[in-house]
Amino acid sequence: MDGIKAAGRALFGGSFNPPHVGHLRLAIEMAETLRPLAAGVELTPCATPPHKVAGGLLPFDLRAAMVEACLDGLPGLSCNRMEAGRPGLSYTWDTLRACREETPERPLFFILGSPDYALLPHWHRGLELPCLCQLVVVPRGEGSEKNFLAATQSMWPGAQPCEPVLPGSRRMRLPGGGLVHFVPLPWISVSASRIRHRWLHGLNVDFLVPRPVLDLLDAHRETVLAHWLPEPRPD
Ligand code: ATP
């Protein structure tokens, strides 16, 4: 197989409500880290999140448009709108299964932050996701690597460390044969909740979100105000 056809896919799911520099730096550095195992990173906005979104969710098209606006000129990064085409709740299980069916010959990776990784037992078929893809966990907060090892052992007792294949990473093999990676990328202390809070209070969000995101939020001000709800101060 030639390089591109053989290369895998890497999905990075999120609500992207809105996308911010934490998401984007992570996507850029993961695309570099996964090369040549994956051809790039597909930022995949969640259409209908299964869990309640505390701060109010912007319409899918606006969130996807913000993601697309950020990716202009960034090689290897793309926006995957596949969840919009599916009725009902957007389960990651269904998304990854559909990818497997689309491209069965290509390895599949799913990237997620360490706090979300620890919550997999609460996701629909969360503990079965490694049957469909390799999970790639990235830090979000201090002590993430220790938490990764503990969370992996507790979710899949008998998981064993194995030879890493991604630069500077840890890798574990699960009893059923699945693989999970921990990639210690630097993380930026920013969240969409903090950005929503600041934007709703008229506070400056420059450099927390790329300029095209800010422009879209301003251009769709009425829609944004109709969807985002005031939340308790997140920091
Ligand atoms: P919210 O504050 O609304 O909960 P969020 O900032 O966590 O949103 P999401 O779109 O829910 O953003 O996150 C998508 C994925 O990106 C998740 O796996 C999350 O852990 C990860 N992520 C979000 N922000 C960061 C960050 N600053 N550093 C590393 N990972 C992040």
Side-chain angles (χ1 to χ4, degrees), residues 210-227:
R211 171 56 62 176
V213 169
L214 196 45
D215 292 344
L216 278 165
L217 290 173
D218 289 341
H220 296 270
R221 189 170 187 81
E222 291 309 315
T223 306
V224 179
L225 288 172
H227 286 82

Side-chain angles (χ1 to χ4, degrees), residues 12-23 26 53 55 110-117 123 138-141 186-196 231 234:
F12 174 34
S15 43
F16 302 113
N17 182 40
H20 53 65
V21 292
H23 297 132
L26 173 55
V53 179
F110 185 74
I111 302 162
L112 74 176
S114 49
D116 295 274
Y117 179 64
W123 290 24
V138 292
R140 192 176 184 189
W187 58 284
I188 300 177
S189 176
V190 55
S191 66
S193 339
R194 182 157 190 268
I195 291 158
R196 291 194 296 273
E231 293 168 85

